[in-house]
Amino acid sequence: MDSIVVRGGKSLSGKIEIAGAKNAALTLMPATLLSDEPLTLTNTPRLSDIKTMTLLLESLGAEISSLQDGKVQTMSCHGTINTTADYDIVRKMRASNLVLGPLLAREGHAIVSLPGGCAIGARPMDIHTDGLAKMGAEIDLKDGYLHAKANGGTLKGAVIDFPFASVGATENIMMAATLAKGTTVINNAAREPEIVDLADCLRKMGAQIDGDGTSSITIQGVDRLHGATHPVVTDRIELGTYMLAPVIAGGEVECLGGRMSLVASFAEKLDQAGVLVEETTTGLKVKLKGDRPKAVDVTTEPFPGFPTDLQAQMMAMLCFADGTSVLEEKIFENRFMHAPELVRMGAEIDVQGGTATVTGVEKMKGAPVMATDLRASVSLILAGLKAEGETQVNRVYHLDRGYEDVAGKLGGVGADIERVPGS
Ligand code: UD1
Protein backbone atom coordinates (compact mmCIF):
# COMPACT_ATOMS: atom_id res chain seq x y z
CA MET A 1 0.00 0.00 0.00
CA ASP A 2 1.36 3.46 -0.92
CA SER A 3 2.44 5.92 1.74
CA ILE A 4 3.29 9.62 1.80
CA VAL A 5 6.66 10.66 3.16
CA VAL A 6 7.14 14.26 4.33
CA ARG A 7 10.44 15.72 5.53
CA GLY A 8 9.63 18.79 7.63
CA GLY A 9 11.25 22.19 7.74
CA LYS A 10 10.79 23.61 4.24
CA SER A 11 9.12 27.00 3.93
CA LEU A 12 6.44 27.18 1.22
CA SER A 13 5.96 29.64 -1.60
CA GLY A 14 3.73 29.65 -4.68
CA LYS A 15 0.21 28.81 -5.79
CA ILE A 16 -1.98 25.76 -5.26
CA GLU A 17 -4.95 25.11 -7.52
CA ILE A 18 -8.04 24.10 -5.52
CA ALA A 19 -10.21 21.42 -7.14
CA GLY A 20 -13.97 21.13 -7.39
CA ALA A 21 -15.68 20.03 -4.18
CA LYS A 22 -15.85 16.31 -3.50
CA ASN A 23 -18.99 16.73 -1.39
CA ALA A 24 -20.72 18.79 -4.07
CA ALA A 25 -19.82 16.36 -6.87
CA LEU A 26 -21.08 13.43 -4.80
CA THR A 27 -24.56 14.94 -4.61
CA LEU A 28 -24.58 16.44 -8.12
CA MET A 29 -23.80 13.07 -9.71
CA PRO A 30 -26.91 11.25 -8.36
CA ALA A 31 -29.02 14.17 -9.63
CA THR A 32 -28.54 12.61 -13.07
CA LEU A 33 -31.05 9.94 -11.99
CA LEU A 34 -33.75 12.62 -12.02
CA SER A 35 -33.70 13.07 -15.80
CA ASP A 36 -33.61 11.06 -19.04
CA GLU A 37 -31.34 13.69 -20.56
CA PRO A 38 -27.57 14.01 -20.04
CA LEU A 39 -26.09 15.97 -17.13
CA THR A 40 -22.56 17.28 -17.64
CA LEU A 41 -20.42 18.32 -14.70
CA THR A 42 -17.26 20.34 -15.21
CA ASN A 43 -14.56 20.97 -12.57
CA THR A 44 -15.14 17.48 -11.13
CA PRO A 45 -12.34 16.45 -8.74
CA ARG A 46 -10.32 13.34 -9.59
CA LEU A 47 -10.84 11.24 -6.47
CA SER A 48 -11.55 7.65 -5.55
CA ASP A 49 -14.92 8.66 -4.00
CA ILE A 50 -15.93 10.00 -7.42
CA LYS A 51 -14.94 6.66 -8.98
CA THR A 52 -17.08 4.89 -6.38
CA MET A 53 -20.09 7.08 -7.23
CA THR A 54 -19.42 6.45 -10.95
CA LEU A 55 -19.50 2.69 -10.34
CA LEU A 56 -22.68 2.98 -8.30
CA LEU A 57 -24.49 5.04 -10.95
CA GLU A 58 -23.29 2.68 -13.69
CA SER A 59 -24.62 -0.25 -11.68
CA LEU A 60 -28.01 1.50 -11.73
CA GLY A 61 -27.86 1.87 -15.52
CA ALA A 62 -26.28 5.29 -16.07
CA GLU A 63 -23.91 5.78 -18.99
CA ILE A 64 -20.96 7.89 -17.94
CA SER A 65 -18.21 9.30 -20.11
CA SER A 66 -15.39 11.54 -19.04
CA LEU A 67 -13.09 14.06 -20.71
CA GLN A 68 -10.00 15.93 -19.50
CA ASP A 69 -8.86 13.01 -17.38
CA GLY A 70 -12.15 12.92 -15.46
CA LYS A 71 -12.56 16.65 -14.87
CA VAL A 72 -15.60 16.71 -17.16
CA GLN A 73 -18.19 13.98 -16.69
CA THR A 74 -21.29 13.44 -18.77
CA MET A 75 -23.89 11.17 -17.24
CA SER A 76 -26.95 9.88 -18.99
CA CYS A 77 -29.72 7.88 -17.46
CA HIS A 78 -32.40 7.10 -20.02
CA GLY A 79 -34.84 4.24 -20.27
CA THR A 80 -35.24 1.58 -17.64
CA ILE A 81 -32.93 1.69 -14.68
CA ASN A 82 -32.03 -0.70 -11.90
CA THR A 83 -33.34 0.48 -8.53
CA THR A 84 -31.13 -1.59 -6.21
CA ALA A 85 -27.97 0.02 -4.84
CA ASP A 86 -25.80 -2.92 -3.86
CA TYR A 87 -23.95 -3.27 -0.56
CA ASP A 88 -20.65 -4.04 -2.31
CA ILE A 89 -20.47 -0.50 -3.68
CA VAL A 90 -22.48 1.40 -1.07
CA ARG A 91 -20.36 0.14 1.85
CA LYS A 92 -17.33 1.96 0.43
CA MET A 93 -18.85 5.40 0.89
CA ARG A 94 -21.66 6.90 2.96
CA ALA A 95 -22.54 9.40 0.24
CA SER A 96 -23.91 6.45 -1.76
CA ASN A 97 -27.10 7.02 0.24
CA LEU A 98 -27.69 10.06 -1.99
CA VAL A 99 -29.20 7.81 -4.69
CA LEU A 100 -32.17 7.00 -2.44
CA GLY A 101 -34.12 10.24 -2.95
CA PRO A 102 -33.56 10.43 -6.73
CA LEU A 103 -34.42 6.72 -7.30
CA LEU A 104 -37.59 7.02 -5.28
CA ALA A 105 -38.59 10.19 -7.12
CA ARG A 106 -37.92 8.70 -10.54
CA GLU A 107 -39.22 5.13 -10.15
CA GLY A 108 -41.43 5.26 -7.07
CA HIS A 109 -39.37 2.54 -5.39
CA ALA A 110 -35.77 1.77 -4.45
CA ILE A 111 -33.68 -0.67 -2.46
CA VAL A 112 -30.55 0.91 -1.07
CA SER A 113 -28.01 -0.72 1.21
CA LEU A 114 -27.23 1.16 4.41
CA PRO A 115 -23.87 2.85 3.80
CA GLY A 116 -20.45 2.63 5.38
CA GLY A 117 -18.01 5.56 5.02
CA CYS A 118 -15.48 7.08 7.41
CA ALA A 119 -15.31 5.53 10.87
CA ILE A 120 -16.13 8.82 12.57
CA GLY A 121 -19.39 8.01 14.29
CA ALA A 122 -22.67 6.15 14.06
CA ARG A 123 -24.10 8.28 11.22
CA PRO A 124 -27.61 6.85 11.00
CA MET A 125 -30.09 7.71 8.21
CA ASP A 126 -33.22 8.40 10.26
CA ILE A 127 -33.47 12.06 9.19
CA HIS A 128 -33.44 10.97 5.51
CA THR A 129 -35.99 8.20 5.99
CA ASP A 130 -38.33 10.19 8.28
CA GLY A 131 -38.37 12.98 5.69
CA LEU A 132 -39.13 10.60 2.82
CA ALA A 133 -41.84 8.94 4.95
CA LYS A 134 -43.51 12.36 5.36
CA MET A 135 -43.55 12.53 1.57
CA GLY A 136 -45.50 9.28 1.45
CA ALA A 137 -42.74 6.68 1.26
CA GLU A 138 -42.95 3.41 3.15
CA ILE A 139 -39.49 2.39 4.24
CA ASP A 140 -38.45 -0.92 5.84
CA LEU A 141 -35.04 -2.18 6.82
CA LYS A 142 -34.42 -5.76 5.65
CA ASP A 143 -31.05 -7.54 5.65
CA GLY A 144 -29.12 -4.26 5.83
CA TYR A 145 -31.07 -2.73 2.96
CA LEU A 146 -33.62 0.09 3.04
CA HIS A 147 -36.66 -0.97 0.99
CA ALA A 148 -38.51 2.19 0.02
CA LYS A 149 -41.77 2.55 -1.88
CA ALA A 150 -43.82 5.66 -2.63
CA ASN A 151 -47.50 5.19 -1.76
CA GLY A 152 -49.46 5.38 -5.00
CA GLY A 153 -46.19 5.30 -6.94
CA THR A 154 -45.38 9.00 -6.52
CA LEU A 155 -43.91 11.07 -3.68
CA LYS A 156 -46.00 13.95 -2.41
CA GLY A 157 -44.91 17.37 -1.18
CA ALA A 158 -44.77 17.80 2.62
CA VAL A 159 -43.54 20.12 5.32
CA ILE A 160 -40.52 18.48 6.91
CA ASP A 161 -38.90 19.73 10.11
CA PHE A 162 -35.42 18.31 10.53
CA PRO A 163 -34.29 17.64 14.13
CA PHE A 164 -30.75 18.47 12.95
CA ALA A 165 -29.50 20.28 9.83
CA SER A 166 -28.18 17.14 8.14
CA VAL A 167 -26.34 17.84 4.90
CA GLY A 168 -27.11 14.50 3.25
CA ALA A 169 -30.76 14.48 4.31
CA THR A 170 -31.25 18.01 2.93
CA GLU A 171 -29.75 16.87 -0.39
CA ASN A 172 -31.75 13.64 -0.56
CA ILE A 173 -35.07 15.33 0.24
CA MET A 174 -34.36 18.27 -2.06
CA MET A 175 -33.70 15.92 -4.99
CA ALA A 176 -36.71 13.74 -4.18
CA ALA A 177 -38.98 16.80 -3.93
CA THR A 178 -38.09 18.13 -7.40
CA LEU A 179 -40.31 15.46 -8.99
CA ALA A 180 -42.87 15.07 -6.17
CA LYS A 181 -46.51 16.15 -6.51
CA GLY A 182 -46.94 19.52 -4.80
CA THR A 183 -44.75 21.64 -2.58
CA THR A 184 -42.13 20.48 -0.09
CA VAL A 185 -40.71 22.71 2.62
CA ILE A 186 -37.58 21.63 4.50
CA ASN A 187 -37.24 23.48 7.82
CA ASN A 188 -33.93 23.47 9.69
CA ALA A 189 -32.27 22.58 6.36
CA ALA A 190 -28.48 22.52 6.02
CA ARG A 191 -27.03 25.69 4.51
CA GLU A 192 -23.69 24.40 3.20
CA PRO A 193 -22.37 25.82 -0.12
CA GLU A 194 -22.69 22.30 -1.58
CA ILE A 195 -26.48 22.50 -1.00
CA VAL A 196 -26.61 25.80 -2.89
CA ASP A 197 -24.53 24.25 -5.68
CA LEU A 198 -26.95 21.32 -5.93
CA ALA A 199 -29.93 23.70 -6.00
CA ASP A 200 -28.24 25.75 -8.76
CA CYS A 201 -27.73 22.62 -10.84
CA LEU A 202 -31.29 21.34 -10.24
CA ARG A 203 -32.67 24.75 -11.27
CA LYS A 204 -30.68 24.49 -14.52
CA MET A 205 -32.42 21.12 -14.99
CA GLY A 206 -35.80 22.82 -14.59
CA ALA A 207 -36.47 22.37 -10.86
CA GLN A 208 -38.25 25.05 -8.84
CA ILE A 209 -36.32 25.66 -5.64
CA ASP A 210 -36.18 28.68 -3.33
CA GLY A 211 -34.42 29.40 -0.08
CA ASP A 212 -31.30 27.25 -0.53
CA GLY A 213 -28.51 28.71 1.58
CA THR A 214 -31.09 29.52 4.29
CA SER A 215 -32.57 27.13 6.84
CA SER A 216 -35.91 26.87 5.01
CA ILE A 217 -35.94 25.48 1.49
CA THR A 218 -39.09 25.30 -0.65
CA ILE A 219 -39.31 22.95 -3.61
CA GLN A 220 -42.24 23.00 -5.98
CA GLY A 221 -42.46 19.62 -7.74
CA VAL A 222 -42.40 19.56 -11.56
CA ASP A 223 -43.32 16.78 -14.04
CA ARG A 224 -39.87 16.31 -15.48
CA LEU A 225 -36.33 17.60 -15.38
CA HIS A 226 -34.08 18.02 -18.41
CA GLY A 227 -30.33 17.92 -19.07
CA ALA A 228 -27.85 20.62 -18.03
CA THR A 229 -24.18 21.53 -17.75
CA HIS A 230 -22.88 22.65 -14.38
CA PRO A 231 -19.46 23.51 -12.90
CA VAL A 232 -18.78 21.97 -9.47
CA VAL A 233 -18.20 24.62 -6.77
CA THR A 234 -14.67 25.00 -5.30
CA ASP A 235 -13.80 22.55 -2.52
CA ARG A 236 -13.82 24.65 0.66
CA ILE A 237 -12.33 21.81 2.69
CA GLU A 238 -9.40 21.33 0.33
CA LEU A 239 -9.09 25.12 0.34
CA GLY A 240 -8.96 25.31 4.15
CA THR A 241 -6.49 22.43 4.27
CA TYR A 242 -4.01 24.14 1.94
CA MET A 243 -4.54 27.52 3.65
CA LEU A 244 -3.08 25.90 6.77
CA ALA A 245 0.04 24.61 4.98
CA PRO A 246 2.00 27.93 4.97
CA VAL A 247 0.76 28.73 8.48
CA ILE A 248 2.34 25.50 9.75
CA ALA A 249 5.38 25.29 7.47
CA GLY A 250 6.09 29.04 7.07
CA GLY A 251 6.04 31.06 3.86
CA GLU A 252 3.16 32.33 1.73
CA VAL A 253 0.78 30.40 -0.52
CA GLU A 254 -2.06 31.54 -2.77
CA CYS A 255 -4.92 29.05 -3.02
CA LEU A 256 -6.28 29.55 -6.53
CA GLY A 257 -10.05 29.54 -6.86
CA GLY A 258 -10.54 30.20 -3.13
CA ARG A 259 -13.14 32.70 -1.96
CA MET A 260 -13.59 34.11 1.52
CA SER A 261 -17.35 33.39 1.49
CA LEU A 262 -16.61 29.64 1.36
CA VAL A 263 -14.43 29.67 4.49
CA ALA A 264 -15.53 32.75 6.47
CA SER A 265 -15.76 31.16 9.95
CA PHE A 266 -12.51 29.29 9.41
CA ALA A 267 -10.74 32.46 8.17
CA GLU A 268 -12.03 34.31 11.24
CA LYS A 269 -10.28 31.75 13.47
CA LEU A 270 -7.11 32.10 11.40
CA ASP A 271 -7.29 35.87 11.88
CA GLN A 272 -7.53 35.37 15.66
CA ALA A 273 -4.51 33.06 15.43
CA GLY A 274 -2.47 35.81 13.77
CA VAL A 275 -2.75 34.66 10.16
CA LEU A 276 -3.10 37.12 7.29
CA VAL A 277 -5.64 36.00 4.67
CA GLU A 278 -5.97 38.25 1.66
CA GLU A 279 -8.61 37.82 -1.03
CA THR A 280 -7.08 38.44 -4.48
CA THR A 281 -8.75 38.36 -7.90
CA THR A 282 -7.57 34.76 -8.32
CA GLY A 283 -7.86 33.27 -4.86
CA LEU A 284 -6.81 33.56 -1.21
CA LYS A 285 -3.24 34.43 -0.20
CA VAL A 286 -2.19 33.18 3.22
CA LYS A 287 0.76 33.81 5.53
CA LEU A 288 1.46 33.82 9.24
CA LYS A 289 2.18 37.26 10.70
CA GLY A 290 4.59 36.26 13.52
CA ASP A 291 6.75 33.23 14.23
CA ARG A 292 4.05 31.03 15.74
CA PRO A 293 0.26 31.00 15.44
CA LYS A 294 -1.63 31.99 18.59
CA ALA A 295 -3.86 29.47 20.38
CA VAL A 296 -7.59 29.74 19.56
CA ASP A 297 -10.66 27.83 20.72
CA VAL A 298 -12.75 26.12 18.06
CA THR A 299 -16.22 24.53 18.10
CA THR A 300 -17.46 22.67 15.05
CA GLU A 301 -20.96 23.50 13.84
CA PRO A 302 -23.08 23.18 10.71
CA PHE A 303 -22.37 25.86 8.06
CA PRO A 304 -21.83 28.81 8.46
CA GLY A 305 -20.03 27.64 11.62
CA PHE A 306 -16.58 26.09 11.73
CA PRO A 307 -16.63 22.90 9.59
CA THR A 308 -16.05 19.54 11.24
CA ASP A 309 -14.16 18.56 8.07
CA LEU A 310 -11.44 21.11 8.98
CA GLN A 311 -11.18 20.22 12.66
CA ALA A 312 -8.32 17.71 12.30
CA GLN A 313 -6.28 20.07 10.09
CA MET A 314 -6.87 22.97 12.52
CA MET A 315 -5.68 20.73 15.35
CA ALA A 316 -2.44 20.10 13.44
CA MET A 317 -1.86 23.85 13.36
CA LEU A 318 -2.78 24.36 17.02
CA CYS A 319 -0.21 21.71 18.02
CA PHE A 320 2.44 24.36 17.15
CA ALA A 321 0.53 27.37 18.50
CA ASP A 322 1.60 29.61 21.34
CA GLY A 323 -0.75 28.73 24.21
CA THR A 324 -3.54 26.27 24.93
CA SER A 325 -6.52 25.74 22.62
CA VAL A 326 -9.77 23.91 23.23
CA LEU A 327 -11.39 22.11 20.29
CA GLU A 328 -14.98 20.98 20.66
CA GLU A 329 -16.37 18.48 18.15
CA LYS A 330 -20.15 18.83 17.98
CA ILE A 331 -21.01 17.05 14.72
CA PHE A 332 -19.46 13.58 15.03
CA GLU A 333 -18.91 11.71 18.26
CA ASN A 334 -15.70 9.92 17.29
CA ARG A 335 -13.62 12.38 15.38
CA PHE A 336 -10.35 12.78 17.30
CA MET A 337 -8.59 9.70 15.97
CA HIS A 338 -5.78 11.89 14.64
CA ALA A 339 -4.99 13.07 18.20
CA PRO A 340 -3.06 9.98 19.38
CA GLU A 341 -1.07 10.00 16.13
CA LEU A 342 -0.19 13.69 16.58
CA VAL A 343 0.84 12.85 20.16
CA ARG A 344 3.23 10.23 18.74
CA MET A 345 4.85 13.12 16.85
CA GLY A 346 5.31 15.08 20.09
CA ALA A 347 2.05 17.04 20.37
CA GLU A 348 0.43 17.67 23.75
CA ILE A 349 -3.26 16.79 23.42
CA ASP A 350 -5.76 15.69 26.04
CA VAL A 351 -9.02 14.26 24.70
CA GLN A 352 -12.05 13.99 26.98
CA GLY A 353 -15.17 12.93 25.09
CA GLY A 354 -15.92 15.52 22.43
CA THR A 355 -13.34 18.00 23.72
CA ALA A 356 -9.63 18.11 22.92
CA THR A 357 -7.26 20.43 24.77
CA VAL A 358 -4.14 21.19 22.78
CA THR A 359 -1.13 22.76 24.45
CA GLY A 360 1.11 24.14 21.73
CA VAL A 361 4.71 22.97 21.52
CA GLU A 362 7.59 24.59 19.63
CA LYS A 363 8.83 21.38 18.06
CA MET A 364 7.45 18.07 16.93
CA LYS A 365 9.26 15.07 15.50
CA GLY A 366 8.42 13.02 12.43
CA ALA A 367 7.18 9.45 12.94
CA PRO A 368 5.44 6.68 11.03
CA VAL A 369 1.73 7.40 11.53
CA MET A 370 -1.60 6.31 10.14
CA ALA A 371 -5.12 7.54 10.24
CA THR A 372 -8.52 6.00 9.96
CA ASP A 373 -10.27 8.75 8.05
CA LEU A 374 -9.72 11.18 5.27
CA ARG A 375 -9.33 14.50 7.11
CA ALA A 376 -7.29 12.89 9.90
CA SER A 377 -4.80 11.62 7.29
CA VAL A 378 -4.23 15.04 5.80
CA SER A 379 -3.80 16.59 9.26
CA LEU A 380 -0.82 14.29 9.81
CA ILE A 381 0.71 15.45 6.53
CA LEU A 382 0.24 19.08 7.60
CA ALA A 383 1.96 18.39 10.93
CA GLY A 384 4.73 16.62 9.02
CA LEU A 385 5.47 19.83 7.07
CA LYS A 386 6.89 21.33 10.26
CA ALA A 387 7.97 18.29 12.32
CA GLU A 388 11.69 17.58 12.40
CA GLY A 389 12.76 14.61 10.29
CA GLU A 390 10.58 12.21 8.38
CA THR A 391 6.86 11.60 8.78
CA GLN A 392 5.47 8.59 6.95
CA VAL A 393 1.70 8.61 6.57
CA ASN A 394 0.33 5.15 5.87
CA ARG A 395 -3.08 4.04 4.61
CA VAL A 396 -3.03 6.58 1.80
CA TYR A 397 -6.27 5.22 0.37
CA HIS A 398 -8.10 7.44 2.87
CA LEU A 399 -6.42 10.50 1.35
CA ASP A 400 -7.17 9.41 -2.19
CA ARG A 401 -10.87 9.52 -1.33
CA GLY A 402 -10.77 13.29 -0.94
CA TYR A 403 -7.49 14.85 -2.03
CA GLU A 404 -6.24 15.00 -5.60
CA ASP A 405 -2.42 14.62 -5.76
CA VAL A 406 -1.46 15.95 -2.29
CA ALA A 407 2.23 15.26 -2.88
CA GLY A 408 2.18 17.10 -6.23
CA LYS A 409 0.31 20.11 -4.84
CA LEU A 410 2.43 20.55 -1.69
CA GLY A 411 5.64 19.61 -3.55
CA GLY A 412 4.79 22.31 -6.12
CA VAL A 413 5.06 25.02 -3.45
CA GLY A 414 8.33 23.72 -2.01
CA ALA A 415 7.43 20.99 0.50
CA ASP A 416 9.74 17.97 0.67
CA ILE A 417 7.07 15.34 0.12
CA GLU A 418 6.73 12.21 -1.99
CA ARG A 419 4.34 9.37 -2.52
CA VAL A 420 6.12 6.08 -2.03
CA PRO A 421 4.60 3.06 -3.79
CA GLY A 422 3.84 0.16 -1.46
CA SER A 423 5.13 -3.32 -1.99
C1 UD1 B 1 -21.69 15.51 5.03
C2 UD1 B 1 -20.32 15.51 4.37
C3 UD1 B 1 -19.23 15.24 5.42
C4 UD1 B 1 -19.36 16.24 6.56
C5 UD1 B 1 -20.78 16.26 7.12
C6 UD1 B 1 -20.99 17.33 8.17
C7 UD1 B 1 -20.81 14.71 2.14
C8 UD1 B 1 -20.65 13.64 1.13
N1 UD1 B 1 -20.28 14.48 3.36
O1 UD1 B 1 -21.89 14.20 5.56
O2 UD1 B 1 -17.96 15.38 4.78
O3 UD1 B 1 -18.45 15.88 7.60
O4 UD1 B 1 -21.72 16.50 6.06
O5 UD1 B 1 -20.65 18.59 7.66
O6 UD1 B 1 -21.34 15.77 1.86
N2 UD1 B 1 -27.28 12.25 11.40
C9 UD1 B 1 -28.28 11.53 12.01
N3 UD1 B 1 -29.27 11.00 11.23
C10 UD1 B 1 -29.31 11.18 9.88
C11 UD1 B 1 -28.29 11.93 9.26
C12 UD1 B 1 -27.28 12.45 10.05
O7 UD1 B 1 -28.27 11.35 13.22
O8 UD1 B 1 -30.24 10.70 9.23
C13 UD1 B 1 -26.18 12.81 12.21
C14 UD1 B 1 -24.84 12.17 11.87
O9 UD1 B 1 -24.63 10.97 12.58
C15 UD1 B 1 -23.87 13.24 12.27
C16 UD1 B 1 -24.61 14.53 11.95
O10 UD1 B 1 -26.00 14.17 11.89
O11 UD1 B 1 -23.60 13.18 13.64
C17 UD1 B 1 -24.20 15.20 10.66
O12 UD1 B 1 -24.46 14.38 9.58
P1 UD1 B 1 -24.80 14.94 8.13
O13 UD1 B 1 -24.88 16.42 8.13
O14 UD1 B 1 -25.95 14.16 7.61
O15 UD1 B 1 -23.49 14.52 7.36
P2 UD1 B 1 -23.35 13.74 6.00
O16 UD1 B 1 -24.34 14.24 5.01
O17 UD1 B 1 -23.26 12.29 6.26
Side-chain angles (χ1 to χ4, degrees), residues 116-179:
C118 282
I120 55 176
R123 304 180 94 179
M125 277 193 66
D126 54 324
I127 305 175
H128 304 239
T129 50
D130 289 354
L132 291 168
K134 272 216 130 183
M135 297 175 74
E138 272 175 30
I139 304 178
D140 296 313
L141 179 63
K142 277 184 230 156
D143 307 325
Y145 282 78
L146 293 171
H147 291 244
K149 210 172 180 178
N151 273 329
T154 313
L155 292 173
K156 290 168 197 66
V159 176
I160 300 166
D161 299 314
F162 281 167
F164 177 84
S166 156
V167 174
T170 303
E171 294 165 344
N172 240 334
I173 301 291
M174 204 161 85
M175 287 191 277
T178 57
L179 293 178

Side-chain angles (χ1 to χ4, degrees), residues 110-279:
I111 301 177
V112 176
S113 169
L114 276 179
C118 282
I120 55 176
R123 304 180 94 179
M125 277 193 66
D126 54 324
I127 305 175
H128 304 239
T129 50
D130 289 354
L132 291 168
K134 272 216 130 183
M135 297 175 74
E138 272 175 30
I139 304 178
D140 296 313
L141 179 63
K142 277 184 230 156
D143 307 325
Y145 282 78
L146 293 171
H147 291 244
K149 210 172 180 178
N151 273 329
T154 313
L155 292 173
K156 290 168 197 66
V159 176
I160 300 166
D161 299 314
F162 281 167
F164 177 84
S166 156
V167 174
T170 303
E171 294 165 344
N172 240 334
I173 301 291
M174 204 161 85
M175 287 191 277
T178 57
L179 293 178
K181 273 204 165 50
T183 305
T184 300
V185 179
I186 309 172
N187 290 321
N188 197 20
R191 291 178 277 169
E192 270 68 1
E194 294 76 26
I195 307 269
V196 176
D197 202 38
L198 173 63
D200 281 342
C201 176
L202 292 170
R203 275 189 289 263
K204 285 180 196 162
M205 295 169 74
Q208 291 189 14
I209 304 174
D210 282 310
D212 46 295
T214 77
S215 49
S216 183
I217 304 179
T218 303
I219 308 111
Q220 177 75 51
V222 296
D223 288 341
R224 63 181 294 274
L225 295 182
H226 50 75
T229 297
H230 181 79
V232 179
V233 68
T234 300
D235 195 319
R236 64 197 165 93
I237 306 302
E238 192 196 26
L239 171 63
T241 301
Y242 289 125
M243 284 170 76
L244 286 168
V247 180
I248 293 172
E252 182 176 86
V253 165
E254 182 177 2
C255 295
L256 297 175
R259 281 181 285 125
M260 199 64 109
S261 57
L262 290 172
V263 284
S265 60
F266 170 71
E268 197 182 304
K269 287 293 167 189
L270 289 188
D271 180 54
Q272 288 168 18
V275 178
L276 194 67
V277 181
E278 189 196 338
E279 193 160 45

